[in-house]
Amino acid sequence: KAGVTQTPRYLIKTRGQQVTLSCSPISGHRSVSWYQQTPGQGLQFLFEYFSETQRNKGNFPGRFSGRQFSNSRSEMNVSTLELGDSALYLCASSLGSLPVNFGQGTRLTVV
Amino acid sequence: EDQVTQSPEALRLQEGESSSLNCSYTVSGLRGLFWYRQDPGKGPEFLFTLYSAGEEKEKERLKATLTKKESFLHITAPKPEDSATYLCAVGDFGNEKLTFGTGTRLTIIP
C-alpha cells in the first residue's frame, strides 16, 4: 500500500512570498500531522487534523496554517515567508492516534 | 511540557562494535515512546513504539527498552547500512502530537 506522499519535494521561494505544501495520507488514515525540521531545532510540531478538524496546534506564528479535506488530504500554507522558514516540512498520517508513518518531506528554501 | 533529551549527539563505531543510544524523557502521562531512523534528506522511518516500563522490542540488530525515565536503543554488531540519525519521541495523553529529541547521528565504519 502506498505511503504518505508529499508534494512538491523541493521548493525555492523568495522572502515575502507564500507557499502551499500538500500531503496525501495512507489510504484509510484520517489523522494528518505536520512537523518542521531544522538543524537547530529538530522536529517541531505544527498542527494535527482529524476528519477536517484541527485538534492541536504547535507554537508557530499565525503565518503557518493548514487544512484537511474530506478525502483526508491535507495542505499547509506559509504566508509572508522569512529566511528562518527554510526547513524540511514533514507530514505524517495515522488511523487516529499518534503518527507513525511519515512522508519524505518537502524541502523549502527561502532566499 | 514534555521534554526529550538524546545522547550522545554523535557516535562513531567500528563495524561489529555494539553500543547503546540513550533517550531521557519527562512527560505528564506517557502514551508511547517512539524510535525512528532517518537517513539524510528523507523522512523518519518508524522502528518501535514502547508503551510501558519494562517493555522491550527487537528488530534485526536493534533492541529498544523502556524505563520510567529513559529508553535505550541497543545496536548489536552494527553494519555500515545502520548508519543514520536515530530519533526518539514521546506522546502524552491529552494531545495528538509527538515531542522529539534532537537525535543521535550514528556512523558505522567498515
Coordinates of all heavy atoms in Angstrom, one line a residue, chain A residues 6-76:
Chain A
Q6 N 4.2 13.4 -0.2 CA 4.2 14.9 -0.1 C 4.7 15.5 -1.4 O 5.6 15.0 -2.0 CB 5.2 15.3 1.0 CG 4.7 14.9 2.4 CD 5.6 15.5 3.5 OE1 6.2 14.7 4.2 NE2 5.6 16.8 3.6
T7 N 4.0 16.6 -1.8 CA 4.4 17.3 -3.0 C 4.4 18.8 -2.7 O 3.6 19.3 -1.9 CB 3.5 17.0 -4.1 OG1 2.1 17.3 -3.7 CG2 3.6 15.6 -4.6
P8 N 5.3 19.6 -3.3 CA 6.5 19.1 -4.1 C 7.6 18.6 -3.2 O 7.5 18.7 -1.9 CB 6.9 20.3 -4.9 CG 6.6 21.4 -4.0 CD 5.3 21.0 -3.3
R9 N 8.6 18.0 -3.7 CA 9.7 17.5 -2.8 C 10.7 18.7 -2.5 O 11.3 18.7 -1.4 CB 10.5 16.4 -3.5 CG 9.8 15.1 -3.6 CD 9.6 14.4 -2.2 NE 10.8 14.4 -1.4 CZ 11.7 13.5 -1.5 NH1 11.7 12.6 -2.4 NH2 12.8 13.6 -0.6
Y10 N 10.8 19.6 -3.4 CA 11.7 20.7 -3.2 C 11.0 22.0 -3.7 O 10.3 22.0 -4.7 CB 13.0 20.5 -4.0 CG 13.7 19.3 -3.7 CD1 13.5 18.1 -4.4 CD2 14.6 19.2 -2.6 CE1 14.2 16.9 -4.1 CE2 15.3 18.1 -2.3 CZ 15.0 16.9 -3.0 OH 15.7 15.8 -2.7
L11 N 11.3 23.1 -3.0 CA 10.7 24.4 -3.3 C 11.8 25.5 -3.0 O 12.4 25.4 -2.0 CB 9.5 24.7 -2.5 CG 8.1 24.3 -3.1 CD1 7.1 24.7 -2.0 CD2 7.8 25.1 -4.4
I12 N 11.9 26.5 -3.9 CA 12.7 27.7 -3.6 C 11.7 28.8 -3.7 O 11.1 29.0 -4.8 CB 13.9 27.8 -4.5 CG1 14.8 26.6 -4.4 CG2 14.6 29.1 -4.2 CD1 16.0 26.6 -5.3
K13 N 11.7 29.6 -2.7 CA 10.8 30.8 -2.7 C 11.6 32.0 -2.2 O 12.6 31.9 -1.5 CB 9.6 30.6 -1.7 CG 8.6 29.5 -2.2 CD 7.8 30.1 -3.4 CE 6.6 29.2 -3.8 NZ 5.8 29.8 -4.9
T14 N 11.0 33.2 -2.5 CA 11.6 34.5 -2.1 C 10.9 35.0 -0.8 O 9.7 34.8 -0.6 CB 11.5 35.5 -3.2 OG1 12.1 34.9 -4.4 CG2 12.2 36.8 -2.9
R15 N 11.7 35.6 0.0 CA 11.1 36.3 1.2 C 9.9 37.1 0.8 O 9.8 37.8 -0.2 CB 12.1 37.2 1.9 CG 13.1 36.5 2.8 CD 14.0 37.5 3.4 NE 14.9 38.2 2.4 CZ 15.7 39.1 2.6 NH1 15.9 39.6 3.9 NH2 16.4 39.7 1.7
G16 N 8.9 37.0 1.7 CA 7.6 37.7 1.5 C 6.6 37.0 0.7 O 5.4 37.3 0.7
Q17 N 7.0 35.9 -0.1 CA 6.0 35.1 -0.8 C 5.3 34.2 0.1 O 5.6 34.1 1.3 CB 6.8 34.3 -1.9 CG 7.2 35.1 -3.1 CD 7.8 34.2 -4.2 OE1 8.6 33.3 -3.9 NE2 7.4 34.5 -5.4
Q18 N 4.3 33.5 -0.4 CA 3.6 32.5 0.3 C 3.8 31.1 -0.4 O 4.1 31.1 -1.6 CB 2.1 32.8 0.5 CG 1.3 32.6 -0.7 CD -0.2 32.6 -0.4 OE1 -0.6 32.9 0.7 NE2 -1.0 32.2 -1.4
V19 N 3.6 30.0 0.3 CA 3.8 28.7 -0.2 C 2.7 27.8 0.3 O 2.2 27.9 1.4 CB 5.2 28.2 0.1 CG1 5.3 27.9 1.6 CG2 5.5 26.9 -0.7
T20 N 2.3 26.8 -0.5 CA 1.4 25.8 -0.1 C 2.0 24.4 -0.4 O 2.5 24.1 -1.5 CB 0.1 25.9 -0.9 OG1 -0.6 27.1 -0.6 CG2 -0.9 24.8 -0.5
L21 N 2.0 23.6 0.7 CA 2.5 22.2 0.6 C 1.4 21.2 0.7 O 0.4 21.5 1.5 CB 3.6 22.0 1.7 CG 4.6 23.1 2.0 CD1 5.5 22.6 3.1 CD2 5.4 23.3 0.7
S22 N 1.5 20.1 0.0 CA 0.5 19.1 0.0 C 0.9 17.8 0.6 O 2.1 17.4 0.5 CB 0.0 18.9 -1.4 OG -1.1 18.0 -1.5
C23 N -0.1 17.1 1.2 CA 0.2 15.8 1.8 C -1.0 14.9 1.5 O -2.1 15.2 1.9 CB 0.4 16.0 3.3 SG 0.5 14.4 4.2
S24 N -0.7 13.7 1.0 CA -1.7 12.7 0.8 C -1.4 11.5 1.7 O -0.4 10.9 1.6 CB -1.7 12.2 -0.7 OG -2.1 13.2 -1.5
P25 N -2.3 11.3 2.7 CA -2.0 10.3 3.7 C -2.2 8.9 3.2 O -2.7 8.7 2.0 CB -3.1 10.5 4.8 CG -4.2 11.1 4.0 CD -3.6 11.9 2.9
I26 N -1.8 7.9 3.9 CA -2.0 6.5 3.6 C -3.6 6.3 3.5 O -4.3 6.8 4.4 CB -1.4 5.6 4.6 CG1 0.1 5.6 4.5 CG2 -1.9 4.1 4.5 CD1 0.9 4.9 5.6
S27 N -4.0 5.5 2.6 CA -5.4 5.2 2.4 C -6.0 4.7 3.7 O -5.5 3.8 4.3 CB -5.6 4.2 1.3 OG -6.9 3.9 1.1
G28 N -7.1 5.4 4.1 CA -7.8 5.0 5.3 C -7.4 5.7 6.5 O -8.1 5.7 7.6
H29 N -6.3 6.4 6.5 CA -5.8 7.2 7.6 C -6.6 8.5 7.6 O -6.6 9.3 6.6 CB -4.3 7.5 7.5 CG -3.5 6.3 7.9 ND1 -2.1 6.4 8.1 CD2 -3.8 5.0 8.1 CE1 -1.7 5.2 8.4 NE2 -2.7 4.3 8.4
R30 N -7.1 8.9 8.8 CA -7.9 10.1 8.9 C -7.1 11.2 9.7 O -7.6 12.4 9.7 CB -9.2 9.8 9.6 CG -10.1 8.8 8.8 CD -11.2 8.3 9.6 NE -12.2 9.3 9.9 CZ -13.2 9.1 10.7 NH1 -13.4 7.9 11.3 NH2 -14.1 10.1 11.0
S31 N -6.0 10.9 10.3 CA -5.3 11.9 11.0 C -4.0 12.3 10.2 O -3.3 11.4 9.7 CB -4.9 11.4 12.4 OG -3.9 12.2 13.0
V32 N -3.8 13.6 10.1 CA -2.6 14.1 9.4 C -2.0 15.1 10.3 O -2.6 16.0 10.8 CB -3.0 14.7 8.0 CG1 -1.7 15.4 7.4 CG2 -3.5 13.7 7.1
S33 N -0.7 14.9 10.5 CA 0.1 15.9 11.3 C 1.2 16.5 10.5 O 1.7 15.8 9.5 CB 0.8 15.1 12.5 OG -0.1 14.4 13.3
W34 N 1.6 17.7 10.8 CA 2.7 18.4 10.1 C 3.8 18.7 11.2 O 3.5 19.2 12.3 CB 2.2 19.6 9.5 CG 1.3 19.4 8.3 CD1 0.0 19.3 8.3 CD2 1.7 19.4 6.9 NE1 -0.5 19.1 7.0 CE2 0.6 19.2 6.1 CE3 3.0 19.5 6.3 CZ2 0.6 19.1 4.8 CZ3 3.0 19.4 4.9 CH2 1.9 19.2 4.2
Y35 N 5.1 18.6 10.7 CA 6.2 18.9 11.5 C 7.2 19.7 10.7 O 7.3 19.5 9.5 CB 6.9 17.6 12.1 CG 6.1 16.9 13.1 CD1 5.0 16.1 12.8 CD2 6.4 17.0 14.5 CE1 4.3 15.4 13.7 CE2 5.6 16.4 15.4 CZ 4.6 15.6 15.1 OH 3.8 14.9 16.0
Q36 N 7.9 20.6 11.4 CA 9.0 21.3 10.7 C 10.3 20.8 11.3 O 10.5 20.6 12.5 CB 8.9 22.8 11.1 CG 10.0 23.7 10.4 CD 10.1 25.0 11.1 OE1 10.4 25.2 12.3 NE2 9.8 26.1 10.3
Q37 N 11.3 20.5 10.4 CA 12.6 20.0 10.9 C 13.7 21.0 10.4 O 13.8 21.2 9.2 CB 12.8 18.6 10.4 CG 14.1 18.0 10.9 CD 14.3 16.6 10.5 OE1 13.9 16.1 9.5 NE2 15.0 15.8 11.4
T38 N 14.4 21.5 11.4 CA 15.6 22.3 11.1 C 16.8 21.8 11.8 O 16.6 21.1 12.8 CB 15.3 23.8 11.5 OG1 15.0 23.8 12.9 CG2 14.2 24.4 10.7
P39 N 18.0 22.1 11.3 CA 19.2 21.6 12.0 C 19.3 22.1 13.5 O 19.7 21.3 14.3 CB 20.3 22.2 11.2 CG 19.7 22.3 9.8 CD 18.3 22.8 10.1
G40 N 18.8 23.3 13.7 CA 19.0 23.8 15.1 C 17.9 23.4 16.1 O 18.2 23.2 17.2
Q41 N 16.7 23.2 15.6 CA 15.5 22.9 16.5 C 15.0 21.5 16.4 O 14.2 21.1 17.2 CB 14.4 23.9 16.1 CG 14.7 25.3 16.3 CD 14.9 25.7 17.8 OE1 14.3 25.2 18.7 NE2 15.9 26.5 18.0
G42 N 15.5 20.7 15.4 CA 15.0 19.4 15.3 C 13.6 19.4 14.7 O 13.2 20.3 14.1
L43 N 12.8 18.3 15.1 CA 11.4 18.2 14.6 C 10.5 18.9 15.6 O 10.5 18.6 16.8 CB 11.0 16.8 14.5 CG 11.3 16.1 13.2 CD1 12.5 15.2 13.4 CD2 10.1 15.3 12.7
Q44 N 9.7 19.9 15.1 CA 8.8 20.6 15.9 C 7.4 20.5 15.3 O 7.2 20.6 14.1 CB 9.2 22.0 16.0 CG 10.5 22.2 16.8 CD 10.7 23.7 17.1 OE1 10.9 24.5 16.3 NE2 10.7 24.0 18.4
F45 N 6.4 20.2 16.2 CA 5.0 20.0 15.8 C 4.4 21.3 15.4 O 4.5 22.3 16.0 CB 4.3 19.4 17.0 CG 2.8 19.3 16.8 CD1 2.3 18.3 16.1 CD2 1.9 20.2 17.5 CE1 0.9 18.2 15.9 CE2 0.6 20.1 17.3 CZ 0.1 19.1 16.5
L46 N 3.7 21.2 14.2 CA 3.0 22.4 13.7 C 1.5 22.3 14.0 O 0.9 23.1 14.7 CB 3.2 22.5 12.2 CG 4.5 23.1 11.7 CD1 4.8 22.6 10.3 CD2 4.5 24.6 11.8
F47 N 0.8 21.3 13.5 CA -0.6 21.0 13.7 C -1.0 19.6 13.3 O -0.3 18.9 12.6 CB -1.5 22.1 13.1 CG -1.0 22.7 11.8 CD1 -0.8 22.0 10.7 CD2 -0.7 24.1 11.8 CE1 -0.3 22.6 9.5 CE2 -0.2 24.7 10.7 CZ 0.0 24.0 9.6
E48 N -2.2 19.3 13.8 CA -2.7 17.9 13.5 C -4.2 18.1 13.2 O -4.9 18.8 13.8 CB -2.6 17.0 14.7 CG -3.0 15.5 14.5 CD -4.4 15.2 14.9 OE1 -5.0 16.0 15.6 OE2 -4.8 14.0 14.6
Y49 N -4.6 17.4 12.2 CA -6.0 17.4 11.7 C -6.6 15.9 11.8 O -5.9 15.0 11.5 CB -6.1 17.9 10.3 CG -5.9 19.4 10.2 CD1 -4.6 19.9 10.1 CD2 -6.9 20.3 10.3 CE1 -4.3 21.2 10.0 CE2 -6.7 21.7 10.2 CZ -5.4 22.1 10.1 OH -5.2 23.5 10.0
F50 N -7.9 15.9 12.1 CA -8.6 14.6 12.1 C -10.0 14.9 11.5 O -10.7 15.8 12.1 CB -8.6 14.0 13.5 CG -9.3 12.7 13.5 CD1 -8.7 11.5 13.2 CD2 -10.7 12.6 13.8 CE1 -9.3 10.3 13.2 CE2 -11.3 11.4 13.8 CZ -10.6 10.2 13.5
S51 N -10.3 14.2 10.5 CA -11.7 14.4 9.9 C -12.0 15.9 9.7 O -13.0 16.4 10.1 CB -12.8 13.8 10.7 OG -12.6 12.4 10.7
E52 N -11.0 16.6 9.1 CA -11.2 18.0 8.7 C -11.1 19.0 9.8 O -11.3 20.2 9.6 CB -12.4 18.2 7.9 CG -12.5 17.4 6.6 CD -13.8 17.6 5.8 OE1 -14.0 18.7 5.3 OE2 -14.6 16.6 5.8
T53 N -10.9 18.5 11.1 CA -10.9 19.4 12.2 C -9.5 19.5 12.8 O -8.8 18.4 13.0 CB -11.8 18.9 13.3 OG1 -13.2 18.9 12.8 CG2 -11.8 19.8 14.6
Q54 N -9.0 20.7 13.1 CA -7.7 20.8 13.7 C -7.8 20.5 15.2 O -8.6 21.2 15.9 CB -7.2 22.3 13.6 CG -5.8 22.4 14.1 CD -5.3 23.9 14.0 OE1 -5.5 24.7 14.8 NE2 -4.6 24.2 12.8
R55 N -7.1 19.5 15.7 CA -7.2 19.1 17.0 C -6.2 19.7 17.9 O -6.3 19.8 19.1 CB -7.2 17.5 17.2 CG -8.4 16.8 16.5 CD -8.5 15.4 17.0 NE -7.4 14.6 16.6 CZ -7.4 13.2 16.7 NH1 -8.4 12.6 17.3 NH2 -6.3 12.5 16.3
N56 N -5.0 20.0 17.3 CA -3.9 20.5 18.1 C -3.0 21.4 17.3 O -2.9 21.2 16.0 CB -3.1 19.3 18.7 CG -2.3 19.7 19.9 OD1 -2.3 20.9 20.3 ND2 -1.5 18.8 20.4
K57 N -2.4 22.4 17.9 CA -1.6 23.3 17.1 C -0.3 23.6 18.0 O -0.4 23.8 19.2 CB -2.3 24.6 16.9 CG -1.6 25.6 16.0 CD -2.5 26.8 15.7 CE -2.0 27.8 14.6 NZ -0.6 28.0 14.6
G58 N 0.8 23.7 17.3 CA 2.0 23.9 18.0 C 2.3 25.4 18.1 O 1.4 26.3 17.7
N59 N 3.5 25.8 18.6 CA 3.8 27.2 18.9 C 4.4 27.8 17.7 O 5.6 28.2 17.7 CB 4.7 27.3 20.1 CG 4.0 26.8 21.4 OD1 2.8 27.0 21.6 ND2 4.7 26.1 22.2
F60 N 3.7 28.0 16.7 CA 4.2 28.7 15.5 C 3.3 29.9 15.2 O 2.1 29.9 15.6 CB 4.1 27.8 14.3 CG 5.3 26.8 14.2 CD1 5.3 25.6 14.9 CD2 6.4 27.1 13.4 CE1 6.4 24.8 14.9 CE2 7.5 26.2 13.3 CZ 7.5 25.1 14.1
P61 N 3.9 30.9 14.6 CA 3.0 32.1 14.3 C 1.9 31.8 13.4 O 1.9 30.8 12.7 CB 4.1 33.1 13.7 CG 5.2 32.3 13.2 CD 5.3 31.1 14.1
G62 N 1.0 32.8 13.4 CA -0.2 32.6 12.5 C 0.0 32.6 11.1 O -0.9 32.2 10.3
R63 N 1.3 32.9 10.6 CA 1.6 32.7 9.2 C 1.5 31.3 8.7 O 1.4 31.0 7.5 CB 3.0 33.3 8.9 CG 3.2 34.7 9.3 CD 4.6 35.2 8.9 NE 5.7 34.5 9.6 CZ 6.5 33.5 9.1 NH1 6.3 33.2 7.8 NH2 7.4 33.0 9.8
F64 N 1.6 30.4 9.7 CA 1.5 29.0 9.4 C 0.1 28.5 9.6 O -0.5 28.7 10.7 CB 2.4 28.2 10.3 CG 3.9 28.4 10.1 CD1 4.5 29.5 10.6 CD2 4.6 27.5 9.3 CE1 5.9 29.7 10.3 CE2 6.0 27.7 9.1 CZ 6.6 28.8 9.6
S65 N -0.5 27.9 8.5 CA -1.9 27.5 8.6 C -2.0 26.2 7.9 O -1.2 25.8 7.1 CB -2.9 28.5 8.1 OG -2.6 28.8 6.7
G66 N -3.1 25.5 8.1 CA -3.3 24.2 7.4 C -4.8 24.0 7.3 O -5.7 24.7 7.8
R67 N -5.1 22.9 6.5 CA -6.4 22.4 6.4 C -6.4 21.0 5.9 O -5.4 20.5 5.4 CB -7.3 23.3 5.4 CG -6.7 23.4 4.0 CD -7.7 24.2 3.2 NE -7.1 24.4 1.8 CZ -7.9 24.9 0.8 NH1 -9.1 25.3 1.0 NH2 -7.4 25.0 -0.4
Q68 N -7.5 20.4 6.2 CA -7.7 19.0 5.7 C -9.0 18.9 4.9 O -10.0 19.4 5.3 CB -7.7 18.0 6.9 CG -7.7 16.5 6.5 CD -7.7 15.6 7.7 OE1 -8.3 15.9 8.7 NE2 -7.1 14.4 7.5
F69 N -9.0 18.1 3.9 CA -10.1 17.9 3.0 C -10.9 16.7 3.4 O -10.4 15.8 4.1 CB -9.7 17.9 1.6 CG -8.9 19.2 1.1 CD1 -7.5 19.2 1.1 CD2 -9.6 20.3 0.8 CE1 -6.9 20.3 0.8 CE2 -8.9 21.5 0.4 CZ -7.6 21.5 0.4
S70 N -12.1 16.5 2.8 CA -12.9 15.4 3.1 C -12.3 14.0 2.8 O -12.6 13.0 3.3 CB -14.3 15.5 2.5 OG -14.1 15.6 1.1
N71 N -11.3 14.1 1.8 CA -10.7 12.8 1.4 C -9.4 12.6 2.3 O -8.6 11.7 2.0 CB -10.3 12.8 0.0 CG -9.4 13.9 -0.4 OD1 -9.0 14.7 0.4 ND2 -9.0 14.0 -1.7
S72 N -9.3 13.4 3.3 CA -8.1 13.3 4.3 C -6.8 13.9 3.8 O -5.9 14.1 4.6 CB -7.8 11.9 4.8 OG -8.9 11.4 5.5
R73 N -6.8 14.3 2.5 CA -5.6 15.0 2.1 C -5.5 16.3 2.8 O -6.5 16.9 3.2 CB -5.7 15.3 0.6 CG -4.4 15.8 -0.1 CD -4.6 15.9 -1.6 NE -5.5 17.0 -1.9 CZ -5.2 18.3 -2.0 NH1 -3.9 18.7 -1.8 NH2 -6.1 19.2 -2.4
S74 N -4.2 16.8 3.0 CA -4.0 18.0 3.8 C -3.1 18.9 3.1 O -2.2 18.5 2.3 CB -3.5 17.6 5.2 OG -3.2 18.8 5.9
E75 N -3.2 20.2 3.3 CA -2.3 21.2 2.8 C -1.9 22.1 4.0 O -2.7 22.3 5.0 CB -3.0 22.1 1.8 CG -3.3 21.4 0.5 CD -4.0 22.4 -0.5 OE1 -4.4 23.5 -0.1 OE2 -4.0 22.0 -1.7
M76 N -0.7 22.6 3.9 CA -0.3 23.6 4.9 C 0.2 24.8 4.1 O 0.8 24.7 3.0 CB 0.8 23.2 5.8 CG 2.1 22.9 5.3 SD 3.4 22.8 6.6 CE 3.7 24.6 6.8

